Amino acid sequence: MAKLKVAILISGRGSNMAALIEAAKAADYPAEIALVVSNVAEAPGLAIARKEGVPTAVVSHRDRPDRETFDRAVSAELERHGVELVALAGFMRIFSPWFPTRWAGRLINIHPSLLPCFKGLHVQQQALDAGVRLSGCTVHFVIPDLDAGPIIAQAAVPVLADDTQDTLAARILRQEHRLYPLVVRWFAEGRVSLAGGRVAVTGAAPLLFSTDP
Ligand code: GRF
């Protein structure tokens, strides 16, 4: 069976991207990474993708007059590579409503909190300030509102008494690297469906819990 063509959009270090590329190396993985797009030419993740032989494109937001023009340029790259699923992984650009509408149901993101708690930036500090005992990461469909789309799957980790932003971020990131490849697999296997704004995942548990340090 043909593998699902996935694009990953990054702006920075690209560790989630690397986890997806690694997962897709397995012969029985049902998705292939067809393209990595960055809006930042110096994003360290681009070098990793190139080294892995994954096609890359840089679409800078700097030389575009408005958000939608940028979105359309990204979309043109995705279409050129026959992309069927778009996975945001540390992509630090806010879309115009045009992009999530164009890719509705085929655009997902990973966020380092248990949404709907702690949207936006400085997420681990928000979690520490709130005193929560659990945090984690969420893979969700992207809609025009930031960090607000229907949730597909989550992974939870404990928040420890002596955690700093960095220790909590690292614990969550390890789960991100497990969760994102799993969700992309489910998507490629046709197990993820979205109807009336609600997500169903068939034949798999969309919650991971880790007590790893
Ligand atoms: C991750 O924590 C992800 O959840 C958030 O941005 C970070 C990106 O890290 N959206 P990386 O570039 O994948 O290493």
Side-chain angles (χ1 to χ4, degrees), residues 59-211:
V59 182
S60 173
H61 54 272
R62 295 236 172 87
D63 32 359
R64 319 275 163 184
D66 54 45
R67 287 191 194 277
E68 187 173 321
T69 313
F70 169 76
D71 292 0
R72 286 180 182 270
V74 172
S75 201
E77 278 297 332
L78 302 175
E79 282 161 19
R80 216 159 61 76
H81 287 79
V83 167
E84 298 163 292
L85 175 68
V86 183
L88 308 182
F91 185 67
M92 301 302 286
R93 218 41 219 160
I94 294 174
F95 294 116
S96 72
W98 182 86
F99 194 87
T101 305
R102 163 65 183 83
W103 291 92
R106 289 179 297 147
L107 176 61
I108 60 177
N109 180 46
I110 189 156
H111 180 80
S113 77
L114 294 177
L115 289 172
C117 288
F118 316 133
K119 299 176 178 178
L121 297 175
H122 311 299
V123 166
Q124 281 81 24
Q125 191 58 52
Q126 291 186 51
L128 294 176
D129 291 347
V132 292
R133 303 300 187 199
L134 277 178
S135 192
C137 54
T138 302
V139 178
H140 63 94
F141 283 107
V142 175
I143 61 170
D145 291 342
L146 192 67
D147 300 330
I151 291 169
I152 302 170
Q154 295 183 308
V157 302
V159 179
L160 304 180
D162 58 354
D163 265 336
T164 63
Q165 286 192 68
D166 289 347
T167 57
L168 180 56
R171 189 175 310 117
I172 292 172
L173 194 63
R174 281 192 287 279
Q175 299 310 311
E176 295 185 41
H177 297 165
R178 291 175 67 201
L179 190 68
Y180 219 3
L182 258 183
V183 171
V184 169
R185 167 185 280 282
W186 298 338
F187 208 97
E189 290 171 346
R191 293 170 186 236
V192 179
S193 62
L194 174 64
R198 294 194 80 83
V199 176
V201 179
T202 50
L207 169 66
L208 305 179
F209 184 74
S210 170
T211 51

